[in-house]
Short mmCIF file of all heavy atoms in Angstrom, two decimals:
data_model
loop_
_atom_site.label_atom_id
_atom_site.label_comp_id
_atom_site.label_asym_id
_atom_site.label_seq_id
_atom_site.Cartn_x
_atom_site.Cartn_y
_atom_site.Cartn_z
N VAL A 1 -6.92 -0.13 -4.88
CA VAL A 1 -6.76 -1.46 -5.32
C VAL A 1 -6.75 -1.52 -6.82
O VAL A 1 -5.79 -2.22 -7.45
CB VAL A 1 -7.77 -2.48 -4.75
CG1 VAL A 1 -7.75 -3.83 -5.44
CG2 VAL A 1 -7.73 -2.50 -3.25
N GLN A 2 -7.66 -0.81 -7.52
CA GLN A 2 -7.71 -0.89 -8.95
C GLN A 2 -6.44 -0.25 -9.57
O GLN A 2 -6.01 -0.67 -10.50
CB GLN A 2 -8.88 -0.11 -9.42
CG GLN A 2 -9.09 -0.10 -10.92
CD GLN A 2 -9.28 -1.42 -11.48
OE1 GLN A 2 -10.16 -2.11 -11.02
NE2 GLN A 2 -8.68 -1.78 -12.55
N ALA A 3 -5.89 0.72 -8.89
CA ALA A 3 -4.66 1.41 -9.45
C ALA A 3 -3.59 0.42 -9.45
O ALA A 3 -2.74 0.33 -10.38
CB ALA A 3 -4.32 2.59 -8.49
N VAL A 4 -3.26 -0.30 -8.27
CA VAL A 4 -2.13 -1.30 -8.34
C VAL A 4 -2.48 -2.37 -9.28
O VAL A 4 -1.53 -2.78 -10.08
CB VAL A 4 -2.05 -1.82 -6.82
CG1 VAL A 4 -1.06 -3.01 -6.89
CG2 VAL A 4 -1.67 -0.80 -5.96
N GLN A 5 -3.65 -2.84 -9.36
CA GLN A 5 -4.04 -4.02 -10.37
C GLN A 5 -3.72 -3.56 -11.71
O GLN A 5 -3.18 -4.28 -12.63
CB GLN A 5 -5.41 -4.43 -10.23
CG GLN A 5 -5.61 -5.13 -8.95
CD GLN A 5 -7.10 -5.56 -8.73
OE1 GLN A 5 -8.09 -4.91 -9.20
NE2 GLN A 5 -7.44 -6.68 -7.99
N THR A 6 -4.13 -2.28 -12.06
CA THR A 6 -4.10 -1.84 -13.44
C THR A 6 -2.51 -1.73 -13.85
O THR A 6 -2.20 -2.21 -14.98
CB THR A 6 -4.66 -0.39 -13.59
OG1 THR A 6 -6.00 -0.62 -13.32
CG2 THR A 6 -4.53 0.13 -15.05
N ILE A 7 -1.66 -1.16 -13.02
CA ILE A 7 -0.27 -1.09 -13.37
C ILE A 7 0.46 -2.47 -13.42
O ILE A 7 1.13 -2.80 -14.30
CB ILE A 7 0.29 -0.15 -12.37
CG1 ILE A 7 -0.26 1.29 -12.52
CG2 ILE A 7 1.90 -0.07 -12.62
CD1 ILE A 7 -0.04 1.85 -13.89
N VAL A 8 0.31 -3.13 -12.23
CA VAL A 8 1.01 -4.37 -12.18
C VAL A 8 0.69 -5.45 -13.10
O VAL A 8 1.46 -6.21 -13.58
CB VAL A 8 0.97 -4.95 -10.69
CG1 VAL A 8 1.56 -6.26 -10.47
CG2 VAL A 8 1.51 -3.94 -9.70
N SER A 9 -0.66 -5.56 -13.59
CA SER A 9 -1.07 -6.59 -14.41
C SER A 9 -0.57 -6.38 -15.77
O SER A 9 -0.55 -7.30 -16.66
CB SER A 9 -2.55 -6.76 -14.43
OG SER A 9 -3.14 -5.55 -14.96
N GLN A 10 0.03 -5.17 -16.09
CA GLN A 10 0.65 -4.97 -17.34
C GLN A 10 1.98 -5.68 -17.47
O GLN A 10 2.46 -6.01 -18.58
CB GLN A 10 0.99 -3.54 -17.46
CG GLN A 10 -0.19 -2.64 -17.67
CD GLN A 10 0.02 -1.19 -17.94
OE1 GLN A 10 1.02 -0.88 -18.63
NE2 GLN A 10 -0.70 -0.38 -17.15
N PHE A 11 2.51 -6.12 -16.31
CA PHE A 11 3.82 -6.74 -16.31
C PHE A 11 3.81 -8.11 -15.75
O PHE A 11 4.74 -9.02 -16.04
CB PHE A 11 4.83 -5.95 -15.44
CG PHE A 11 4.97 -4.50 -15.87
CD1 PHE A 11 4.20 -3.45 -15.27
CD2 PHE A 11 5.75 -4.14 -16.96
CE1 PHE A 11 4.31 -2.14 -15.84
CE2 PHE A 11 5.85 -2.89 -17.46
CZ PHE A 11 5.12 -1.88 -16.84
N TYR A 12 2.88 -8.49 -14.81
CA TYR A 12 2.86 -9.81 -14.38
C TYR A 12 1.42 -10.41 -14.30
O TYR A 12 0.37 -9.76 -14.21
CB TYR A 12 3.22 -9.71 -12.79
CG TYR A 12 4.61 -9.13 -12.57
CD1 TYR A 12 4.74 -7.89 -12.02
CD2 TYR A 12 5.65 -9.93 -12.68
CE1 TYR A 12 5.99 -7.29 -11.83
CE2 TYR A 12 7.00 -9.42 -12.42
CZ TYR A 12 7.16 -8.15 -12.10
OH TYR A 12 8.33 -7.56 -11.93
N ASP A 13 1.46 -11.81 -14.42
CA ASP A 13 0.19 -12.51 -14.28
C ASP A 13 0.13 -12.88 -12.84
O ASP A 13 0.91 -13.67 -12.32
CB ASP A 13 0.23 -13.73 -15.13
CG ASP A 13 -1.05 -14.50 -15.07
OD1 ASP A 13 -2.04 -13.97 -14.84
OD2 ASP A 13 -1.07 -15.82 -15.30
N ALA A 14 -0.78 -12.17 -12.09
CA ALA A 14 -0.82 -12.28 -10.64
C ALA A 14 -2.25 -12.48 -10.05
O ALA A 14 -3.14 -12.06 -10.66
CB ALA A 14 -0.17 -11.15 -10.02
N GLU A 15 -2.17 -13.01 -8.91
CA GLU A 15 -3.37 -13.06 -8.06
C GLU A 15 -3.30 -11.93 -7.11
O GLU A 15 -2.30 -11.68 -6.44
CB GLU A 15 -3.46 -14.40 -7.21
CG GLU A 15 -4.59 -14.45 -6.26
CD GLU A 15 -4.35 -15.57 -5.17
OE1 GLU A 15 -3.46 -16.30 -5.38
OE2 GLU A 15 -5.26 -15.67 -4.33
N PHE A 16 -4.26 -11.12 -7.08
CA PHE A 16 -4.41 -9.85 -6.22
C PHE A 16 -5.30 -10.20 -5.06
O PHE A 16 -6.45 -10.56 -5.20
CB PHE A 16 -4.82 -8.75 -6.96
CG PHE A 16 -3.83 -8.18 -7.99
CD1 PHE A 16 -4.08 -8.74 -9.32
CD2 PHE A 16 -2.71 -7.48 -7.83
CE1 PHE A 16 -3.17 -8.21 -10.39
CE2 PHE A 16 -1.96 -6.99 -8.73
CZ PHE A 16 -2.11 -7.40 -10.08
N VAL A 17 -4.75 -9.77 -3.88
CA VAL A 17 -5.62 -9.95 -2.61
C VAL A 17 -5.53 -8.56 -1.92
O VAL A 17 -4.40 -8.08 -1.79
CB VAL A 17 -5.17 -10.97 -1.71
CG1 VAL A 17 -5.91 -11.10 -0.36
CG2 VAL A 17 -5.27 -12.31 -2.43
N SER A 18 -6.62 -8.01 -1.52
CA SER A 18 -6.66 -6.81 -0.77
C SER A 18 -7.06 -7.01 0.72
O SER A 18 -7.91 -7.79 0.97
CB SER A 18 -7.64 -5.68 -1.29
OG SER A 18 -8.89 -6.08 -1.24
N LEU A 19 -6.28 -6.47 1.57
CA LEU A 19 -6.40 -6.55 3.12
C LEU A 19 -6.62 -5.27 3.84
O LEU A 19 -5.81 -4.34 3.43
CB LEU A 19 -5.26 -7.38 3.68
CG LEU A 19 -4.90 -8.80 3.18
CD1 LEU A 19 -3.68 -9.31 3.90
CD2 LEU A 19 -6.13 -9.82 3.55
N ALA A 20 -7.40 -5.20 4.68
CA ALA A 20 -7.52 -4.07 5.57
C ALA A 20 -6.39 -4.20 6.63
O ALA A 20 -6.34 -5.07 7.38
CB ALA A 20 -8.93 -3.95 6.25
N VAL A 21 -5.44 -3.23 6.54
CA VAL A 21 -4.34 -3.32 7.55
C VAL A 21 -4.04 -1.92 8.19
O VAL A 21 -4.38 -0.92 7.50
CB VAL A 21 -3.03 -3.84 6.79
CG1 VAL A 21 -3.08 -5.30 6.23
CG2 VAL A 21 -2.63 -2.77 5.59
N PRO A 22 -3.50 -1.84 9.23
CA PRO A 22 -3.29 -0.52 9.89
C PRO A 22 -2.16 0.29 9.31
O PRO A 22 -1.16 -0.29 8.86
CB PRO A 22 -3.01 -0.93 11.38
CG PRO A 22 -2.43 -2.29 11.32
CD PRO A 22 -3.18 -3.01 10.13
N SER A 23 -2.21 1.47 9.25
CA SER A 23 -1.23 2.33 8.79
C SER A 23 -0.19 2.79 9.86
O SER A 23 0.97 3.00 9.69
CB SER A 23 -1.68 3.68 8.14
OG SER A 23 -2.36 4.54 9.22
N GLY A 24 -0.66 2.71 11.17
CA GLY A 24 0.20 3.01 12.14
C GLY A 24 0.53 4.50 12.35
O GLY A 24 1.37 4.84 13.03
N VAL A 25 -0.25 5.25 11.53
CA VAL A 25 -0.02 6.79 11.63
C VAL A 25 -1.48 7.36 11.89
O VAL A 25 -2.47 6.75 11.91
CB VAL A 25 0.59 7.50 10.33
CG1 VAL A 25 2.03 6.77 10.20
CG2 VAL A 25 -0.28 7.22 9.16
N SER A 26 -1.52 8.85 11.89
CA SER A 26 -2.75 9.48 12.15
C SER A 26 -3.74 9.18 11.00
O SER A 26 -3.30 8.83 9.86
CB SER A 26 -2.51 10.96 12.03
OG SER A 26 -1.47 11.35 12.95
N GLU A 27 -5.03 9.32 11.33
CA GLU A 27 -6.09 9.02 10.21
C GLU A 27 -5.76 10.03 9.09
O GLU A 27 -5.93 9.78 7.97
CB GLU A 27 -7.46 9.22 10.83
CG GLU A 27 -8.56 8.88 9.83
CD GLU A 27 -9.85 8.91 10.52
OE1 GLU A 27 -9.85 8.62 11.71
OE2 GLU A 27 -10.83 9.29 9.86
N GLN A 28 -5.32 11.27 9.38
CA GLN A 28 -4.89 12.24 8.39
C GLN A 28 -3.48 12.51 8.61
O GLN A 28 -3.17 13.48 9.50
CB GLN A 28 -5.81 13.44 8.52
CG GLN A 28 -5.31 14.58 7.42
CD GLN A 28 -5.45 14.11 6.16
OE1 GLN A 28 -6.53 13.98 5.46
NE2 GLN A 28 -4.29 13.94 5.39
N PRO A 29 -2.56 11.89 7.93
CA PRO A 29 -1.24 12.15 8.13
C PRO A 29 -0.93 13.74 7.80
O PRO A 29 -1.41 14.23 6.82
CB PRO A 29 -0.44 11.34 7.11
CG PRO A 29 -1.48 10.14 6.89
CD PRO A 29 -2.78 10.79 7.06
N MET A 30 0.00 14.29 8.60
CA MET A 30 0.16 15.77 8.37
C MET A 30 1.48 16.18 7.92
O MET A 30 1.87 17.35 8.09
CB MET A 30 -0.21 16.43 9.79
CG MET A 30 -1.67 16.32 10.18
SD MET A 30 -2.89 17.08 9.09
CE MET A 30 -2.50 18.80 9.15
N SER A 31 2.21 15.26 7.32
CA SER A 31 3.51 15.65 6.83
C SER A 31 3.79 14.51 5.70
O SER A 31 3.24 13.43 5.76
CB SER A 31 4.58 15.63 7.82
OG SER A 31 4.87 14.19 8.32
N SER A 32 4.73 14.83 4.82
CA SER A 32 5.22 13.96 3.88
C SER A 32 5.98 12.72 4.53
O SER A 32 5.75 11.52 4.15
CB SER A 32 6.13 14.52 2.85
OG SER A 32 6.58 13.63 1.98
N GLU A 33 6.61 13.02 5.58
CA GLU A 33 7.29 11.86 6.44
C GLU A 33 6.33 10.85 7.01
O GLU A 33 6.41 9.60 6.97
CB GLU A 33 8.26 12.39 7.45
CG GLU A 33 9.36 13.19 6.95
CD GLU A 33 9.08 14.73 6.47
OE1 GLU A 33 7.92 15.12 6.87
OE2 GLU A 33 9.94 15.32 5.97
N GLU A 34 5.19 11.45 7.73
CA GLU A 34 4.23 10.62 8.29
C GLU A 34 3.43 9.69 7.16
O GLU A 34 3.09 8.67 7.31
CB GLU A 34 3.26 11.51 9.10
CG GLU A 34 2.25 10.59 9.88
CD GLU A 34 1.26 11.40 10.68
OE1 GLU A 34 1.19 12.65 10.49
OE2 GLU A 34 0.47 10.81 11.56
N THR A 35 3.27 10.42 6.15
CA THR A 35 2.41 9.81 4.96
C THR A 35 3.34 8.61 4.50
O THR A 35 2.77 7.53 4.26
CB THR A 35 2.16 10.68 3.86
OG1 THR A 35 1.39 11.91 4.51
CG2 THR A 35 1.18 10.13 2.82
N ARG A 36 4.60 8.85 4.19
CA ARG A 36 5.48 7.75 3.86
C ARG A 36 5.50 6.64 4.82
O ARG A 36 5.48 5.40 4.45
CB ARG A 36 6.98 8.38 3.61
CG ARG A 36 7.93 7.29 3.04
CD ARG A 36 9.32 7.91 2.84
NE ARG A 36 10.21 6.88 2.31
CZ ARG A 36 11.00 6.28 3.26
NH1 ARG A 36 10.97 6.47 4.54
NH2 ARG A 36 11.94 5.38 2.81
N GLU A 37 5.66 7.00 6.09
CA GLU A 37 5.66 5.96 7.13
C GLU A 37 4.38 5.05 7.06
O GLU A 37 4.59 3.87 7.26
CB GLU A 37 5.78 6.57 8.51
CG GLU A 37 5.91 5.64 9.67
CD GLU A 37 6.05 6.41 10.97
OE1 GLU A 37 6.41 7.54 11.01
OE2 GLU A 37 5.62 5.83 12.03
N GLY A 38 3.30 5.75 6.82
CA GLY A 38 1.92 5.09 6.84
C GLY A 38 1.93 4.06 5.63
O GLY A 38 1.48 2.92 5.70
N ALA A 39 2.55 4.47 4.45
CA ALA A 39 2.53 3.61 3.24
C ALA A 39 3.46 2.30 3.58
O ALA A 39 3.14 1.21 3.27
CB ALA A 39 3.08 4.20 2.09
N ILE A 40 4.54 2.45 4.23
CA ILE A 40 5.39 1.44 4.53
C ILE A 40 4.75 0.45 5.65
O ILE A 40 4.94 -0.72 5.34
CB ILE A 40 6.83 2.00 5.18
CG1 ILE A 40 7.55 2.79 4.07
CG2 ILE A 40 7.62 0.95 5.77
CD1 ILE A 40 8.74 3.57 4.59
N HIS A 41 4.19 0.98 6.57
CA HIS A 41 3.54 0.17 7.58
C HIS A 41 2.38 -0.70 6.91
O HIS A 41 2.26 -1.84 7.20
CB HIS A 41 2.79 1.04 8.70
CG HIS A 41 3.73 1.58 9.60
ND1 HIS A 41 3.79 1.12 10.97
CD2 HIS A 41 4.57 2.59 9.49
CE1 HIS A 41 4.72 1.84 11.67
NE2 HIS A 41 5.27 2.74 10.71
N ARG A 42 1.66 -0.19 5.94
CA ARG A 42 0.64 -0.83 5.33
C ARG A 42 1.29 -1.98 4.51
O ARG A 42 0.75 -3.06 4.40
CB ARG A 42 -0.28 0.07 4.44
CG ARG A 42 -1.15 1.02 5.13
CD ARG A 42 -1.95 1.78 4.18
NE ARG A 42 -2.86 2.79 4.95
CZ ARG A 42 -4.02 2.58 5.56
NH1 ARG A 42 -4.47 1.35 5.65
NH2 ARG A 42 -4.57 3.58 6.16
N ALA A 43 2.24 -1.69 3.78
CA ALA A 43 2.81 -2.72 3.00
C ALA A 43 3.46 -3.81 3.77
O ALA A 43 3.35 -5.01 3.53
CB ALA A 43 3.99 -2.12 2.05
N ARG A 44 4.07 -3.39 4.72
CA ARG A 44 4.77 -4.47 5.77
C ARG A 44 3.65 -5.36 6.39
O ARG A 44 3.84 -6.61 6.60
CB ARG A 44 5.66 -3.88 6.73
CG ARG A 44 6.95 -3.25 6.05
CD ARG A 44 7.88 -2.69 7.11
NE ARG A 44 9.16 -2.35 6.43
CZ ARG A 44 10.01 -1.57 6.92
NH1 ARG A 44 9.85 -0.96 8.11
NH2 ARG A 44 11.11 -1.27 6.19
N HIS A 45 2.68 -4.74 6.84
CA HIS A 45 1.54 -5.52 7.53
C HIS A 45 0.79 -6.38 6.38
O HIS A 45 0.23 -7.48 6.82
CB HIS A 45 0.49 -4.57 8.11
CG HIS A 45 0.90 -3.98 9.36
ND1 HIS A 45 1.16 -4.59 10.47
CD2 HIS A 45 1.05 -2.66 9.64
CE1 HIS A 45 1.41 -3.87 11.45
NE2 HIS A 45 1.49 -2.60 11.05
N ALA A 46 0.79 -5.98 5.17
CA ALA A 46 0.08 -6.77 4.20
C ALA A 46 0.95 -7.88 3.63
O ALA A 46 0.48 -8.82 3.05
CB ALA A 46 -0.21 -5.88 2.98
N PHE A 47 2.27 -7.86 3.78
CA PHE A 47 3.14 -8.95 3.40
C PHE A 47 3.04 -10.21 4.35
O PHE A 47 3.78 -10.39 5.23
CB PHE A 47 4.72 -8.44 3.38
CG PHE A 47 5.45 -9.32 2.59
CD1 PHE A 47 5.55 -9.39 1.25
CD2 PHE A 47 6.39 -10.33 3.25
CE1 PHE A 47 6.42 -10.21 0.52
CE2 PHE A 47 7.19 -11.03 2.54
CZ PHE A 47 7.21 -11.16 1.16
#
């Protein structure tokens, strides 16, 4: 959360909200593809 806030707040005046959302992948992703898929799922669930 802090990483996103630090970067984005340099460019935008924004309200930040963090939500616990599912990744839809293994608790420990075991490939770059599965890890990418987890990031996409989290972003889509958070939107």
Side-chain angles (χ1 to χ4, degrees):
V1 170
Q2 184 63 45
V4 171
Q5 289 176 333
T6 298
I7 297 302
V8 175
S9 63
Q10 294 178 47
F11 303 99
Y12 300 103
D13 181 24
E15 171 192 358
F16 294 94
V17 176
S18 65
L19 298 176
V21 296
S23 69
V25 299
S26 305
E27 188 172 328
Q28 176 59 72
M30 296 300 292
S31 69
S32 186
E33 294 80 9
E34 184 182 16
T35 305
R36 180 178 179 270
E37 183 181 338
I40 292 169
H41 285 251
R42 287 184 188 280
R44 288 184 177 161
H45 285 296
F47 194 77

